[in-house]
Amino acid sequence: MLLEVKGLTKFFGGVAAVKDVGFKVSKGSIFALIGPNGAGKTTIFNLITGALPPDSGTIRFEGRQLVGLKPYQIAAAGITRTFQNLQLFSGMTVLENVLTGAYLKGRTGFVKSLFCLPSKNREDKRIKEEALALLEEIGLEEAAGLPAAALPFGQQRLLEIARALASGPRLVLLDEPAAGLNSTETRSLAAYLKKLREKGLTMLLIEHDMETVMEVADRVLVLNFGHVIAEGTPQEVQADPEVIKAYLGEDDQVA
Amino acid sequence: MWKKAILRPAAVLLLFAVPLLIKSNYLLSILIVIGLYTIIVQGLGILMGYAGQVSFGHAAFFGLGGYTVAILTTRFHWPTVLALPAAALLPGVIAAIIGRPTLKLRELYLALATLGFGILVHIAFTEGKELTGGPSGITGIPYLSIGGLTFDSDIKFFYLVWITLFLILAGINNLVRSRVGRALRAISESEHAAENAGIDTAKLKLQAFIFSALLAGLAGGLYAFYVTFISPSPFGFHASVQFVLMAVIGGLGTFWGPLLGAAVVVTLGEFLRWAVPLVIPGAGGEYQIIFFGLILVLLMIFRPEGLGALGKCLKLSPEKMPGTGIPSKDI
């Protein structure tokens, strides 16, 4: 198992945002977290990436306990993420965003950066080539020199994924990557996620668009009010009476 | 491209010909002061424009550099060439001590900590009579001599300061285009996203703070060697605010910003000292400050991104102008 979450609990005030949540994600799979708004999906992402400390529970990644590590240490351990509300570096160019995502691939420190050293230039060149290759893969190579804020929304979502991939992580957490995309963009996103999985990347996916979830996910975890109400393959979950109740009882969340 | 290739060296050459063209010691001394302030503001610009932190205590680091030179050379008779690096190092070490706990916290904690620190250091300069000479300061600082070269004239000092300044400018130019420069900008844009990219934000902010303190200390050491006399008055809170203003007026995160900001503020100060008494006879320093404030307010209204951002009007692409500091939302 690449990722093992056990007994994960987080309270906000008196409210349990996440209560005793556990799941396992195997390498090279797409694992989806679904559930109505406020079910605790993004909180789980924040707990895994270290943005929030859990009240109890363990998170093991490649056998290593992540609880207590800082976000940058968790990134260095091989986990990166995208954000539901985009957090691009909007004052930077498209290429610079990906280069910053590749921060972990470099070694040059503050003092060395002040000088023009051959080792630094070689490193810069290598990282830039890799970043450009990544931009080409997602079809943004033409936009490399544009300010990130100048991109249309759909491409900004893609750029955030590229930034998350740039450091060569082994697990990527995608927080509603299809939100705000049109149907063509959503389909090409789904195809891209499947392609990444073929290359061996493992992904955790929060997504409201059920069509996408059913298409790409290997396993689905359904949450409601911070509790796990079902887990299984997309087909199993779809047929689960608890899940149907949670969704239909709520509103028309199922797209 | 050809424009840049010719204009920049031409501007630098012209600048270095200045002492030969101008025979006025007054103008030369103004240029030296601008150069010294630019060195401070260059470091502050990295801290503010890239790491997104403000320091209201840089006059204290500037002063610590000056007093380090004064005390080491007059009381302990250190060779001047060794006193200068010490003047940079001591503020750097102190910045590390202040910065380590405060920079783990976000937002304005550093601004508050440095504000308090600046006031404390200023009081220490005034009250530490045995060591600092109290309000009257320390006189008789020797001239700086490196190897056989003694910097005993304004012309020599002009070259020393401006060559130092351009070396720092070259270093900063490398820095902002590097992995570390991008990481610093990432911190000022989204600390969350920066951390998730594997950037140790607390460590980088601390390094930027130490770097800025080193430069302020270096400028202080040079200042002490230039005026050969030191007292607490140039290192008060007012000076710290002035450095922050220079950084903002010049334009945060811009290449020429620190130089422009320092030049504008120093020139404006000198101009007002001359012009205000002509308009209001018998006007003292307080009127100058009012006019100074007024001009600054107008500048901030009409050029909020600072003067250095004028470079963007000259069609420099974002690739060539890294670090606007302010996210460009209008595009």
Side-chain angles (χ1 to χ4, degrees):
Chain A
M1 284 296 144
L2 189 76
L3 182 77
E4 276 190 76
V5 174
K6 266 188 211 160
L8 198 63
T9 301
K10 178 73 187 175
F11 283 91
F12 290 127
V15 184
V18 174
K19 185 86 197 285
D20 199 24
V21 169
F23 57 90
K24 291 176 183 178
V25 181
S26 59
K27 195 177 175 317
S29 69
I30 297 179
F31 190 96
L33 301 177
I34 66 167
N37 284 325
K41 307 180 296 288
T42 298
T43 304
I44 291 175
F45 272 22
N46 287 336
L47 293 170
I48 294 173
T49 56
L52 292 172
D55 292 322
S56 61
T58 58
I59 303 165
R60 288 192 173 277
F61 177 68
E62 295 175 336
R64 180 180 173 195
Q65 168 72 270
L66 295 186
V67 174
L69 295 184
K70 297 212 165 67
Y72 76 90
Q73 293 168 321
I74 290 170
I79 302 178
T80 58
R81 71 174 292 183
T82 67
F83 296 86
Q84 189 181 340
N85 51 336
L86 291 168
Q87 297 252 6
L88 283 173
F89 306 126
S90 49
M92 295 190 197
T93 65
V94 168
L95 177 62
E96 285 171 332
N97 266 276
V98 180
L99 290 173
T100 309
Y103 181 79
L104 287 166
K105 282 187 174 168
R107 285 284 159 267
T108 314
F110 198 107
V111 176
K112 274 191 182 169
S113 294
L114 292 166
F115 301 96
C116 205
L117 303 168
S119 68
K120 178 188 146 196
N121 294 342
R122 270 199 305 276
E123 180 184 289
D124 279 352
K125 192 162 169 268
R126 174 174 60 85
I127 292 173
K128 194 172 170 180
E129 277 165 10
E130 288 173 7
L132 284 170
L134 192 56
L135 283 176
E136 202 179 325
E137 202 178 293
I138 58 163
L140 283 179
E141 74 275 23
E142 299 282 321
L146 290 179
L151 292 183
F153 186 78
Q155 296 192 341
Q156 291 194 15
R157 282 240 179 260
L158 281 179
L159 177 57
E160 243 203 18
I161 295 173
R163 186 181 67 186
L165 294 173
S167 63
R170 293 181 298 287
L171 174 66
V172 176
L173 316 188
L174 302 163
D175 198 345
E176 294 197 36
L181 300 190
N182 64 34
S183 57
T184 321
E185 289 170 330
T186 305
R187 272 196 300 278
S188 72
L189 173 74
Y192 185 53
L193 297 185
K194 285 195 267 189
K195 203 174 124 198
L196 289 173
R197 175 175 56 190
E198 272 168 41
K199 287 185 188 168
L201 184 71
T202 313
M203 283 161 275
L204 268 184
L205 174 72
I206 293 177
E207 189 47 68
H208 277 302
D209 181 46
M210 282 308 138
E211 214 177 307
T212 309
V213 171
M214 295 306 149
E215 186 188 342
V216 303
D218 298 296
R219 287 191 77 76
V220 180
L221 182 81
V222 191
L223 293 155
N224 199 14
F225 296 113
H227 293 267
V228 176
I229 57 172
E231 196 201 322
T233 65
Q235 290 73 25
E236 285 164 10
V237 162
Q238 248 176 334
D240 191 299
E242 276 291 310
V243 177
I244 294 166
K245 205 175 98 193
Y247 270 94
L248 297 181
E250 187 82 13
D251 54 21
D252 54 351
Q253 287 278 355
V254 187
Chain B
M1 227 24 227
W2 66 270
K3 256 189 178 172
K4 204 170 134 188
I6 293 176
L7 275 178
R8 274 201 190 164
V12 173
L13 269 181
L14 188 72
L15 189 87
F16 281 88
V18 161
L20 309 175
L21 302 173
I22 298 172
K23 293 290 167 212
S24 155
N25 266 343
Y26 169 69
L27 278 180
L28 209 53
S29 70
I30 298 267
L31 285 173
I32 291 169
V33 170
I34 289 174
L36 288 172
Y37 285 172
T38 302
I39 294 174
I40 302 170
V41 180
Q42 280 173 330
L44 204 53
I46 291 294
L47 184 70
M48 291 172 68
Y50 291 87
Q53 294 286 323
V54 186
S55 163
F56 283 111
H58 262 55
F61 294 125
F62 180 44
L64 282 168
Y67 273 95
T68 303
V69 158
I71 291 166
L72 288 180
T73 54
T74 61
R75 304 253 199 278
F76 299 97
H77 306 289
W78 275 39
T80 54
V81 72
L82 290 181
L84 189 61
L89 272 177
L90 179 75
V93 171
I94 292 175
I97 295 167
I98 306 171
R100 190 169 280 278
T102 34
L103 282 168
K104 282 185 184 152
L105 307 164
R106 285 179 194 176
E107 320 296 338
L108 291 170
Y109 288 98
L110 187 73
L112 287 176
T114 49
L115 175 73
F117 167 73
I119 293 167
L120 210 71
V121 168
H122 192 240
I123 292 171
F125 288 158
T126 317
E127 299 300 323
K129 295 197 170 57
E130 294 290 308
L131 197 62
T132 65
S136 47
I138 299 168
T139 52
I141 300 165
Y143 288 117
L144 173 67
S145 64
I146 301 170
L149 188 59
T150 304
F151 293 89
D152 54 2
S153 71
D154 276 16
I155 292 184
K156 284 182 189 167
F157 222 86
F158 170 88
Y159 285 117
L160 175 68
V161 168
W162 282 78
I163 287 170
T164 308
L165 188 162
F166 275 97
L167 287 176
I168 295 167
L169 202 59
I172 286 178
N173 191 31
N174 285 332
L175 176 76
V176 298
R177 280 151 209 269
S178 74
R179 164 179 184 267
V180 173
R182 282 190 299 269
L184 283 168
R185 273 193 286 154
I187 294 172
S188 65
E189 294 219 29
S190 167
E191 205 159 330
H192 267 300
E195 281 268 333
N196 278 295
I199 297 166
D200 184 349
T201 57
K203 181 177 148 196
L204 262 193
K205 282 191 283 186
L206 181 65
Q207 287 177 331
F209 182 52
I210 293 171
F211 177 67
S212 73
L214 284 171
L215 288 190
L218 177 68
L222 288 170
Y223 172 84
F225 282 126
Y226 174 54
V227 294
T228 66
F229 152 77
I230 208 158
S231 74
S233 58
F235 309 120
F237 176 62
H238 174 77
S240 285
V241 173
Q242 220 175 35
F243 297 146
V244 171
L245 281 177
M246 288 174 188
V248 174
I249 288 171
L252 290 176
T254 57
F255 189 70
W256 296 108
L259 181 54
L260 275 172
V264 166
V265 173
V266 170
T267 313
L268 207 60
E270 292 297 314
F271 170 75
L272 289 175
R273 202 156 65 156
W274 167 78
V276 173
L278 296 183
V279 184
I280 310 165
E286 68 276 15
Y287 283 91
Q288 289 166 31
I289 290 170
I290 293 171
F291 277 85
F292 200 44
L294 191 70
I295 291 168
L296 292 180
V297 168
L298 289 176
L299 199 79
M300 285 296 102
I301 291 172
F302 294 109
R303 280 251 149 245
E305 67 276 44
L307 294 173
L310 285 172
K312 270 187 230 154
C313 308
L314 304 171
K315 284 188 205 155
L316 289 171
S317 73
E319 261 284 55
K320 285 173 193 151
M321 278 275 298
T324 55
I326 306 148
S328 31
K329 292 211 173 67
D330 51 334
I331 23 173

